[in-house]
């Protein structure tokens, strides 16, 4: 049973009722609902700007006009998402900008806007700022907490719409071999046309692992808040979300499974923990047994064993995505060794990857570096681009979120899906980058929003 804390609406000093939906609240709400629209719709102006990034830009301007941006009190989000990128950017332009010689000769992209030093470093720094604004506004919003049922309903509605497209695209691409109507739209409004879905679910994401992170949160909130829907509608939403997750056929799913298992050991009584672990193990065994009986054992071994082994070992080939992610991550660590304090600058790792690529002994190349390659692991990317300073701020930021959510989850069942989601997000960063991707931080921000509201309610109830 989900426990709830009543949140009182309190008038502010100026007589305005706190918790009311104002423009900042509506923009924050829209960012949460639209965070799954990562490759459609987009506005292409040199680069591709997502709908939620444009909403965050509007939120930034409104926050500056209302001066709410100057009342933000979360030290570690500011330190990681603003201070460390700005510091690394300044150091890049002062000290490292001349170290990229050979990059343009190697890739031949001189003159292309997205690969200029200005665009490649300043734009990611600006994205970090937008992430901070969105995180700050969402995590401390009393209005979103007071109407969290509305927010969650729309997260589920949005996730279901994207899921239906994922299934439709998998059928159109994988079975019929034709593109969907959205894939046929002009490139200035979508990026999905270049994706060959096959019979895998991507949604509107760039690749399956990105969709797993988004859809993982959707299924967690759908399950824990299923009482918000009728029994039939709730079951429908759960089935669609689960099928879409399975059809990603991504090894990133192991992170969600691991997060559920780990968090089952972190809350509740010893008897309750053991019961949850037993049920979880039984369901997992049944699912694996059914998959093997259906003839999908080889696919499971490839996705959840061989790719993971390749990802967590020093690769000698880059014949699959797991090995290539491991390869780029190790190259990122080599960059960090040479620029350890502040890194090379936000987004600037693309200029330094080629100079360190042969430090990793690859004997057979499948996928190789391109002009936009960066460490495909947020931990390695943060070390390479923001250095030790940025990485320490990131660890403190992650610990701040995790500690608050865990503390609340031990007191209120309503915080349980957010605990699972936060652990899952931190695990997903092993294969998702860059860290200035806003879709990484929006759901953890909403988790803090709910946790902060529950804690306020608990204090007021004594």
């Amino acid at each position: 049973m989900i426990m709830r804390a009543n949140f009182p609406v309190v008038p502010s000093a100026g007589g305005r009722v706190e918790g009311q939906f104002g423009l900042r609240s509506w923009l924050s709400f829209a960012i949460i609902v639209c965070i799954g629209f990562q490759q459609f719709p987009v506005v292409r102006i040199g680069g591709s700007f997502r709908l939620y990034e444009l909403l965050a830009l509007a939120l930034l301007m409104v926050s500056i006009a209302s001066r709410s941006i100057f009342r933000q009190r979360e030290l570690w989000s500011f330190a990681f998402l603003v201070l460390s990128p700005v510091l690394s950017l300044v150091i890049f332009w002062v000290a490292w900008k001349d170290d990229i010689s050979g990059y343009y000769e190697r890739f031949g992209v001189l003159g292309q806007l997205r690969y200029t030093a200005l665009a490649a470093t300043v734009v990611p720094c600006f994205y970090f700022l937008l992430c901070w604004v969105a995180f700050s506004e969402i995590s401390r919003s009393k209005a979103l907490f007071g109407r969290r049922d509305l927010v969650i309903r729309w997260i589920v509605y949005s996730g279901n719409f994207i899921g239906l497209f994922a299934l439709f695209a998998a059928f159109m691409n994988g079975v019929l071999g034709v593109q969907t109507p959205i894939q046929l739209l002009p490139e200035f409004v979508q990026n999905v046309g270049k994706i060959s879905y096959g019979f895998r679910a991507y949604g509107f994401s760039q690749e399956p692992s990105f969709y797993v992170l988004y859809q993982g949160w959707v299924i967690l909130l759908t399950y824990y808040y299923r009482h918000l829907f009728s029994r039939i509608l709730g079951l429908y939403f759960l089935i669609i979300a689960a099928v879409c997750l399975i059809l990603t056929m991504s090894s990133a799913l192991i992170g969600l499974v691991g997060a559920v298992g780990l968090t089952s050991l972190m809350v509740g009584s010893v008897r309750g923990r053991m019961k949850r672990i037993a049920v979880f193990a039984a369901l997992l065994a049944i699912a694996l047994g059914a998959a093997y009986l259906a003839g999908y054992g080889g696919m499971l071994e490839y996705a959840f064993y061989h790719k993971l082994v390749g990802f967590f070992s020093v690769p000698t080939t880059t014949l699959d995505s797991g090995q290539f992610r491991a390869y780029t991550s190790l190259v990122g660590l080599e960059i960090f060794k040479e620029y350890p304090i502040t890194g090379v600058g936000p987004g600037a790792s693309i200029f330094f990857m080629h100079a360190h690529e042969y430090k990793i002994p690859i004997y057979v190349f499948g996928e190789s570096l391109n002009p936009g390659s960066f460490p495909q692991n947020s931990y390695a990317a943060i070390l390479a681009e923001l250095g030790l300073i940025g990485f320490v701020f990131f660890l403190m930021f992650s610990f701040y979120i995790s500690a608050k959510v865990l503390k609340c989850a031990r007191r209120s069942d309503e915080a349980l899906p957010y605990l699972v989601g936060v652990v899952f997000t931190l695990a997903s960063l092993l294969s998702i980058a860059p860290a200035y991707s806003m879709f990484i931080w929006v759901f953890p921000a909403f988790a803090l929003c709910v946790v902060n509201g529950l804690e306020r309610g608990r204090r007021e109830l004594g």
Side-chain angles (χ1 to χ4, degrees):
M1 182 176 178
I2 292 182
M3 298 170 57
R4 296 195 176 281
N6 295 322
F7 170 64
V9 178
V10 182
S12 65
R16 183 177 180 275
V17 176
E18 292 186 4
Q20 273 189 327
F21 253 65
L23 182 55
R24 286 170 25 230
S25 302
W26 280 114
L27 287 170
S28 299
F29 171 74
I31 289 171
I32 295 172
V33 172
C34 295
I35 201 62
F37 294 86
Q38 295 161 21
Q39 298 294 315
F40 170 82
V42 299
V43 176
R44 192 182 300 277
I45 310 172
S48 297
F49 294 87
R50 287 83 173 171
L51 179 59
Y52 53 81
E53 290 166 347
L54 297 176
L55 289 166
L57 177 59
L59 182 60
L60 171 62
M61 293 186 290
V62 172
S63 299
I64 293 173
S66 66
R67 301 185 65 81
S68 70
I69 196 171
F70 304 110
R71 298 192 291 271
Q72 197 275 142
R73 298 177 180 177
E74 291 171 355
L75 171 64
W76 297 117
S77 64
F78 179 81
F80 170 56
L81 295 172
V82 179
L83 183 59
S84 59
V86 170
L87 176 62
S88 295
L89 178 69
V90 171
I91 299 299
F92 169 81
W93 283 98
V94 170
W96 313 139
K97 64 180 178 65
D98 294 327
D99 288 5
I100 66 173
S101 58
Y103 170 80
Y104 294 111
E105 289 80 359
R106 163 72 182 274
F107 296 107
V109 292
L110 185 65
Q112 295 188 31
L113 177 62
R114 62 176 296 190
Y115 299 118
T116 63
L118 182 66
T121 57
V122 174
V123 171
C125 195
F126 183 65
Y127 282 156
F128 268 119
L129 175 63
L130 293 182
C131 285
W132 174 69
V133 170
F135 186 92
S136 173
E137 290 287 352
I138 292 170
S139 64
R140 61 194 173 100
S141 175
K142 295 179 180 180
L144 291 177
F145 172 74
R147 294 158 181 82
R148 62 195 181 280
D149 287 356
L150 172 69
V151 178
I152 290 161
R153 281 193 182 97
W154 277 96
I155 290 172
V156 175
Y157 296 151
S158 180
N160 181 253
F161 174 78
I162 294 171
L164 290 176
F165 172 78
L167 297 178
F168 177 65
F171 176 76
M172 294 286 287
N173 294 175
V175 177
L176 302 181
V178 297
Q179 290 184 308
T180 68
I182 289 179
Q183 290 175 294
L184 296 174
L185 290 174
E187 287 192 354
F188 62 82
V189 295
Q190 57 89 10
N191 269 349
V192 298
K194 297 178 181 178
I195 297 173
S196 176
Y197 288 87
F199 198 66
R200 300 181 70 183
Y202 285 60
F204 291 124
S205 300
Q206 183 176 343
E207 57 180 68
S209 60
F210 291 12
Y211 185 53
V212 168
L213 176 57
Y214 169 74
Q215 192 70 0
W217 275 96
V218 170
I219 199 170
L220 286 172
L221 295 177
T222 303
Y223 175 77
Y224 278 91
Y225 289 93
R226 60 193 182 277
H227 64 280
L228 297 179
F229 310 97
S230 68
R231 182 173 296 182
I232 293 176
L233 192 59
L235 182 61
Y236 160 76
F237 285 141
L238 272 175
I239 291 173
I240 293 297
V243 170
C244 289
L245 269 178
I246 293 170
L247 285 183
T248 61
M249 293 182 278
S250 170
S251 53
L253 283 169
I254 201 71
L256 180 59
V257 174
V260 173
L262 178 61
T263 53
S264 296
L265 296 173
M266 299 170 71
V267 295
S269 64
V270 174
R271 182 177 180 181
R273 296 180 192 187
M274 297 306 294
K275 182 179 179 180
R276 285 194 297 271
I277 286 295
V279 171
F280 172 70
L283 290 175
L284 184 60
I286 291 171
L288 290 175
Y292 271 92
L293 288 174
Y296 293 106
M299 183 187 71
L300 289 177
E301 290 179 10
Y302 170 72
F304 299 108
Y305 176 73
H306 295 294
K307 284 183 69 175
L308 286 175
V309 168
F311 180 77
F312 287 106
S313 60
V314 178
T316 56
T317 68
T318 60
L319 298 176
D320 64 48
S321 60
Q323 292 176 325
F324 187 70
R325 288 178 189 276
Y327 167 62
T328 60
S329 300
L330 290 172
V331 174
L333 294 179
E334 292 295 328
I335 296 173
F336 165 69
K337 291 177 185 178
E338 190 166 335
Y339 304 87
I341 305 303
T342 61
V344 294
S349 60
I350 65 171
F351 299 124
F352 296 82
M353 295 285 286
H354 71 289
H356 298 80
E357 61 179 327
Y358 294 114
K359 293 181 180 179
I360 313 301
I362 302 297
Y363 300 108
V364 179
F365 275 96
E367 189 172 354
S368 57
L369 297 181
N370 61 55
S373 293
F374 54 86
Q376 295 182 25
N377 171 320
S378 283
Y379 297 95
I382 290 168
L383 283 168
E385 297 187 351
L386 305 183
L388 191 60
I389 292 176
F391 191 73
V392 169
F393 287 158
F394 163 73
L395 290 180
M396 297 305 297
F397 178 50
S398 301
F399 178 78
Y400 163 73
I401 298 172
S402 304
K404 292 204 70 171
V405 177
L406 176 60
K407 181 180 178 181
C408 187
R410 287 173 170 166
R411 294 171 172 167
S412 171
D413 288 345
E414 189 171 356
L416 287 176
Y418 303 101
L419 176 62
V420 178
V422 166
V423 172
F424 173 47
T425 298
L426 294 178
S428 297
L429 296 184
L430 288 168
S431 62
I432 290 178
Y436 54 79
S437 299
M438 192 180 301
F439 67 85
I440 294 174
W441 305 115
V442 163
F443 283 131
F446 184 61
L448 274 189
C449 171
V450 174
V451 164
N452 289 335
L454 292 173
E455 289 297 305
R456 283 196 303 270
R458 185 187 65 82
R459 289 194 298 267
E460 287 161 2
L461 292 173

